[in-house]
Each structure stands twice: as C-alpha cells, then as structure tokens.
Amino acid sequence: MGDDAQNLLYHSLAMNSRALFAHFICLVALLSAASAQQQQFANLGDIKLQSGETLRDCRVGYRTYGKLNADKSNVILFPTWAGGTTEQLQDAIVKDKFADPAIYFVITVDALSNGVSSSPSNSSVQPRMEFPRITVRDMVETQHELLTRVLGIHHLKAVMGISMGGMQTFQWIVAYPEFMDKVIPIVGSPRLAPYDLVLWQTQIDAIMNDAAWKGGNYDKNPARAAEVEFGDLFLSTPEHFNQSTTREKVMQEIAQAPAKAAGSDANNKIRQSQAMMALDVSQPFDGSMERAAEAVKAKVFVIASKTDQTVTPGPAIDFAHLLNAKLLVLDDNCGHGAPGCEAKTIVPAIAAFLAQP
C-alpha cells in the first residue's frame, strides 16, 4: 500500500478525523477517472429494526467493482468502517486489492448512519435525533435486503470489512451462517471489550455535553476539538503518533479544529457509536460465545492488531480460537491503523485464503 493510500485508510478509521479530507483530495487526484465507481442507491422502504422501531424510507448506498460471473459465485461484500463511505473504500479495492476486482465482483456498502445511506443527517422523515437507534444487526439486515431483493444475489463468496466493517462481518456469520463461504473480519470485534465501551461512550458524552449540540439540533457540528483529540489518542499508539507529528503541529491542529468543517456529523457518529456498543453476536445464544461459534458455517480468517487501542483485539482473538479460525495477529506500533501499515502482509494473506477451496 502506497503512502497516500496508507494515510487515507489510517485517518478514515478515525471516523473522518482531522486530515481525512486532505488525504482524500490527494487520492482523488491520483485515481484515474476509469477507476472510479458510480455511487448507487437502493430504496428499501420501511425497515423494522431490532428495537421494534421502524426506519422509514430506508435508502442504502453501494458501489460495485469487477464483473459478476455467470453462476454468481464470485461475490464479495465489503461494508464500510465507522464514519467511512464507499467512496473512501475505492483505493482498498482498486489500487491495493484487498478484494481483487479482476477476480471478484466486489460490492461495497455504505453502512447506516454514515451520511450516505439513511442517516440522522439526511433523513427527511426522521431527521437528527428523531432517527431511531440502530444496531450492527440492522446494518446487516439492510445489506441482506440489498443483495437479495435488489441485486438478486443469494449467496456470497465472502464478507470482509475493516473496523466497524469487521464488526458487521462477525454479525453476518451468526445472522446468516449459510449465506457465505468465507469471512474476513479485519480489526473488528464480535463484542466490544469494556475498554472499547468506555472509549465510544466518552466520545458520545463529549458531543452531548457540548452546549452547541442542543439535543442534536445544532447549527454547527459540536465537539470538533474533541474529535481531533480522540482520533489522536486512540487511532494510533503513543510510539507511532510521537514519531509522526510534533508538539507544535498537534497543538496547532487542535486549536484550529473548531473552525474546520471536516469531520463526522455528530448525530451520525452518535448513532453508529451506539450501534457498535450494542453489538454482541452471542445475544441470540443467551450470551454464550461458544454457542455463537457453533452456529457459524463459513470459513473464517480473523485479522487483529496486537496494539489496537480502538477495537481492542481480545474478543476477536478469543472468538477466532472458538471458531478454530485462521488467525493473523499484527504486531507493530500502528495500532488500529495496522491494515494500512501492514497491507503488504495482509493483502497476500487474504488472496491466499480466498483462493483456497
């Protein structure tokens, strides 16, 4: 993975943190017009959520890469990370080939509440905090509807995803265990660890306790400085972060953050954070991860980062052992940014796993 692409992936995982748009602009300039895939939308109508509430006029964004073969056996689903969009996934597919579009028909999907698919920021019938709480399972249900009802696809070669995309991947194998042959969750989790819950709740509190939030009816996104600070603290590691910036630069960026438009929509971020916090693939099995693992039919390749401080690796590693899954634990100082730092290791390993019968 080149330096520009590595930086894009790294910063995107911070939920559109301080340098995302600068890197994204650079990436767009590098990609040829032919490589860009058109944003598409599926209108799913009203969707019944796990909570019992209804998500009205649900719309899901997606992009496709590669060619669908005659028997539809080469389809890979690739949902987005927290705060990320399918537009930001282009480089991972087209350039770095986490899923090679010369071999596979890759469908990238915008997760609910990312600002492209139905979200607090774009819903006309359930705007802002009227937008109901969603779960990762709800994200998976809308993707299942997209595949089966809109695209006519009833089985997948694989599901894969990074960060919250990895969480959706774990949810897929429990919710629809026979729908895919293989899954590859990358720095994801089947159930967030206690440390992770504190991290996401603290970010929610920073938004809601900002006077500018106004119960979600803000004029300008609140907690901009806090978003930069959280991204700096948890996305990387102290060692990696201290090597990549200076004292002067980091304080300048924090000071300038409130005046910048870049960053996640606060209400979108709240709803996605709550969805991740509620994730627990063992819930239908009375809290037993052992029973959840027994329900899985697909072949699983778990990729975790030993130094990850955003989605701590323990739950994914433990679940991988219960599944007798293939496991790759990255051991560098990149933390949650390991998929970018270690792309030269990850991409061939994924290709080999997908090529196996």
Side-chain angles (χ1 to χ4, degrees):
M1 180 178 273
D3 290 341
D4 288 331
Q6 180 175 321
N7 286 334
L8 174 66
L9 180 59
Y10 176 86
H11 287 287
S12 296
L13 291 170
M15 301 171 78
N16 295 327
S17 63
R18 54 192 168 90
L20 172 60
F21 284 90
H23 287 290
F24 175 63
I25 290 169
C26 292
L27 174 61
V28 170
L30 290 171
L31 290 174
S32 67
S35 71
Q37 302 299 306
Q38 193 70 27
Q39 177 78 63
Q40 301 180 70
F41 290 95
N43 294 313
L44 303 181
D46 292 352
I47 298 290
K48 191 72 171 287
L49 302 174
Q50 295 297 301
S51 65
E53 293 187 82
T54 299
L55 177 58
R56 296 173 57 194
D57 295 343
C58 180
R59 187 170 82 151
V60 173
Y62 67 100
R63 297 169 192 262
T64 65
Y65 303 81
K67 184 177 180 181
L68 182 65
N69 62 15
D71 61 1
K72 300 182 180 180
S73 63
N74 68 332
V75 185
I76 292 179
L77 178 70
F78 203 138
T80 52
W81 48 69
T85 66
T86 55
E87 191 167 22
Q88 294 160 5
L89 271 177
Q90 283 186 6
D91 202 38
I93 306 300
V94 174
K95 188 174 181 180
D96 298 302
K97 302 187 188 332
F98 274 69
D100 190 347
I103 303 172
Y104 304 108
F105 182 62
V106 185
I107 304 171
T108 60
V109 182
D110 291 285
L112 293 176
S113 195
N114 78 333
V116 178
S117 289
S118 288
S119 307
S121 64
N122 63 24
S123 175
S124 60
V125 291
Q126 294 168 303
R128 301 191 176 228
M129 285 289 96
E130 292 179 32
F131 195 86
R133 284 200 184 207
I134 54 171
T135 65
V136 172
R137 177 64 186 265
D138 293 321
M139 297 174 185
V140 168
E141 291 300 324
T142 60
Q143 292 158 22
H144 184 267
E145 286 287 289
L146 166 67
L147 292 170
T148 59
R149 184 149 61 92
V150 178
L151 300 179
I153 293 169
H154 298 274
H155 192 80
L156 296 169
K157 171 73 174 180
V159 182
M160 63 187 300
I162 300 168
S163 191
M164 192 184 76
M167 298 178 201
Q168 293 165 80
T169 301
F170 277 120
Q171 183 68 78
W172 259 102
I173 54 174
V174 173
Y176 294 98
E178 298 187 8
F179 200 86
M180 75 294 293
D181 298 326
K182 299 180 180 182
V183 296
I184 309 165
I186 305 169
V187 295
S189 182
R191 177 173 63 189
L192 296 193
Y195 180 93
D196 307 349
L197 295 178
V198 173
L199 185 152
W200 294 110
Q201 186 60 50
T202 303
Q203 293 182 77
I204 293 173
D205 291 344
I207 294 171
M208 290 186 169
N209 291 333
D210 190 316
W213 185 58
K214 301 178 182 177
N217 297 311
Y218 43 83
D219 301 313
K220 183 179 179 182
N221 263 303
R224 295 290 85 180
E227 183 172 48
V228 171
E229 293 158 3
F230 283 120
D232 287 347
L233 282 173
F234 70 73
L235 181 62
S236 181
T237 62
E239 180 183 8
H240 188 273
F241 184 74
N242 290 340
Q243 291 171 350
S244 64
T245 192
T246 65
R247 288 162 48 90
E248 293 75 19
K249 183 178 179 182
V250 72
M251 295 309 296
Q252 182 182 47
E253 289 177 344
I254 292 172
Q256 294 174 346
K260 293 184 176 180
S264 302
D265 176 86
N267 292 333
N268 292 353
K269 186 169 186 175
I270 288 170
R271 287 296 187 240
Q272 282 202 342
S273 298
Q274 290 169 335
M276 289 186 286
M277 293 174 68
L279 172 66
D280 183 353
V281 301
S282 74
Q283 191 172 22
F285 306 94
D286 297 322
S288 171
M289 296 300 278
E290 290 80 8
R291 288 176 55 198
E294 290 172 359
V296 174
K297 307 297 183 186
K299 294 181 180 179
V300 182
F301 180 19
V302 174
I303 301 175
S305 169
K306 187 176 181 179
T307 59
D308 197 336
Q309 299 179 117
T310 305
V311 182
T312 52
I317 293 172
D318 291 344
F319 200 49
H321 291 319
L322 290 175
L323 293 164
N324 293 316
K326 179 179 174 63
L327 175 64
L328 173 60
V329 180
L330 305 169
D331 189 5
D332 55 40
N333 69 354
C334 291
H336 199 57
C341 294
E342 298 284 351
K344 291 181 180 179
T345 299
I346 292 173
V347 170
I350 291 173
F353 176 72
L354 290 172
Q356 294 170 358

